[in-house]
DNA sequence: TATTGTTATACTCTATAACTATA
DNA sequence: TATAGTTATAGAGTATAACAATA
C-alpha cells in the first residue's frame, strides 16, 4: 500500500535556498561564471554578427593565417560538419578566403579578407572590453591567478576531435 | 580589379597554433575548463540517467525539500517551460513528488521520494568524485582559491528568470 | 587503407509566445 | 492586474553516419 505524507514548503521554510553542496563542485562554479561572462559577450558580439564559437574561429585564423579546418576543429573541439557550416557563412559574408594547400590536395589554407581583418580588429578589442567588464569584481592579480588555475585544469590533456 | 595573393599554410608554417589572444579572455578559459569538467561529469552521471542540469535541480530539491518550481528556475536560471519537462520526467521515474502549497493554490512544494533520495545520495557522492578527478591537476589550496574567485564573478548580481 | 572535407540529419539545450488558474 | 505553472513551438548548439576526393 501507498503512504501519503505532508512535506515542507521551501517558499515558507527556506527564504534562502541552500546551494552549499553544488558550490563545492568546480564544474558548477566554472559553468556559472562562464555562462555569466558569455551572456555579456553574446550581447556585445551581436553588432558583429558573431557567435562565441565563430569569434574564436575567426580570431584563430586572424592570428594564424593559413590554418586549416582540421587544425581549428582539433584546437577548439569542434566537429568538422559544424565547421563546414560556419565557414560557408564566413565565405558568404566575404570575411574569409580559402587557398589550396600546396602539398595536400584535400586541405585548404584559411585567411581573413581585408574586410574580415577589419571586423576582427574591432571585434577583438570589443571582446577584451566585454571580458574586463564581466570580471570587474576581481582585481588584476586575482584575474591572473584565476586564468592560470583554469588553464591548469583544461590544458593538460590535449583532446582531439576525430 | 581583383588581387590574388599567395597565403601561408598553417600546417606547414605553424605546427603550434597561437591562441595567446583567446587565452587572455576569462570567458574562453572559464568555458574551456567548464566544458572539460562537465564532459567527465556527463559520462559519470550516465548510469543515473541525469543530465547536469537535472542533477542540479534534484540536488537543490534534496537539500531544500518543499522548494518550488519558481525558486529553482530563479536560482539555476532555467526557463519555466523547460523546468516543466524535466519535472515530468522526475515524476514519471518516481524520483519526485509534488504537494499543494498551503497558502498559494498555484504553486507546489517539491520533494524527493525515498527512491529519489537514494539515487541522489549516490549521485552526489559520484559527482564529488568526478569533480575531484577532473580537477586533479590543482591542489587543495588552489582549488579553494579558484572556487572563491569564480564565485566573485557570478555571485554579485542576482539574476532572475521572468 | 587513412585522412580532409562534405552532406544530410538527428539530438540536446535553450528561448519565446500564448494560455490557465489562482493571487 | 500580476504571478505560478503549463503547452506548443522555435532556435541555437552539438553530435553521428555515410560519402567524395586525395594521401
Amino acid at each position: 500500500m501507498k503512504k501519503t505524507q505532508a512535506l515542507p514548503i521551501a517558499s515558507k521554510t527556506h527564504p534562502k535556498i541552500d546551494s552549499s553542496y553544488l558550490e563545492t563542485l568546480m564544474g558548477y562554479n566554472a559553468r556559472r561564471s562562464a555562462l555569466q561572462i558569455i551572456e555579456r559577450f553574446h550581447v556585445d558580439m551581436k553588432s558583429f554578427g558573431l557567435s562565441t564559437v565563430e569569434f574564436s574561429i575567426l580570431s584563430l585564423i586572424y592570428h594564424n593565417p593559413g590554418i586549416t579546418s582540421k587544425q581549428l576543429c582539433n584546437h577548439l573541439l569542434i566537429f568538422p560538419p559544424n565547421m563546414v557550416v560556419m565557414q560557408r557563412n564566413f565565405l558568404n559574408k566575404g570575411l574569409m578566403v580559402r587557398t589550396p594547400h600546396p602539398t595536400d590536395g584535400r586541405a585548404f589554407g584559411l585567411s581573413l579578407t581585408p574586410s574580415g581583418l577589419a571586423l576582427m580588429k574591432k571585434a577583438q578589442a570589443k571582446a577584451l572590453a566585454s571580458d574586463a567588464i564581466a570580471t570587474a569584481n576581481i582585481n588584476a592579480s586575482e584575474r591572473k591567478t584565476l586564468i592560470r588555475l583554469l588553464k591548469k585544469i583544461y590544458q593538460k590533456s590535449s583532446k582531439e576531435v576525430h
Side-chain angles (χ1 to χ4, degrees), chain A:
Chain A
M1 60 186 171
K2 282 185 188 170
K3 235 196 278 190
T4 55
Q5 56 191 105
L7 291 163
I9 299 298
S11 55
K12 290 290 173 190
T13 57
H14 319 280
K16 292 289 178 193
I17 293 165
D18 173 16
S19 57
S20 55
Y21 167 79
L22 286 181
E23 289 169 22
T24 64
L25 297 175
M26 188 67 72
Y28 178 78
N29 291 289
R31 184 162 185 266
R32 287 299 295 261
S33 57
L35 285 177
Q36 178 148 323
I37 298 168
I38 289 168
E39 184 184 39
R40 174 184 296 273
F41 190 90
H42 183 70
V43 171
D44 288 339
M45 283 302 118
K46 211 147 201 175
S47 58
F48 299 101
L50 299 176
S51 71
T52 58
V53 178
E54 288 171 335
F55 172 86
S56 296
I57 294 170
L58 289 179
S59 176
L60 283 184
I61 300 175
Y62 181 103
H63 294 283
N64 302 271
I67 193 170
T68 66
S69 224
K70 185 69 164 47
Q71 288 179 301
L72 287 170
C73 285
N74 284 345
H75 202 268
L76 295 174
L77 304 180
I78 296 168
F79 284 90
N82 302 326
M83 179 66 78
V84 171
V85 176
M86 289 185 278
Q87 281 191 16
R88 185 152 48 220
N89 292 337
F90 298 153
L91 290 169
N92 290 340
K93 290 182 187 171
L95 300 175
M96 189 186 85
V97 289
R98 310 202 313 174
T99 51
H101 193 287
T103 65
D104 190 335
R106 299 167 302 179
F108 299 92
L110 307 176
S111 299
L112 299 188
T113 61
S115 162
L117 286 168
L119 182 84
M120 284 309 292
K121 207 159 201 167
K122 280 184 275 184
Q124 286 177 126
K126 181 74 175 176
L128 281 178
S130 177
D131 202 73
I133 294 173
T135 57
N137 290 324
I138 60 172
N139 63 37
S141 162
E142 289 172 327
R143 182 188 176 83
K144 206 173 164 184
T145 301
L146 190 41
I147 287 182
R148 180 176 60 81
L149 294 179
L150 287 172
K151 278 187 188 172
K152 280 185 85 168
I153 291 177
Y154 77 83
Q155 266 187 352
K156 289 295 170 180
S157 62
S158 71
K159 311 292 278 313
E160 294 267 333
V161 174
H162 49 123

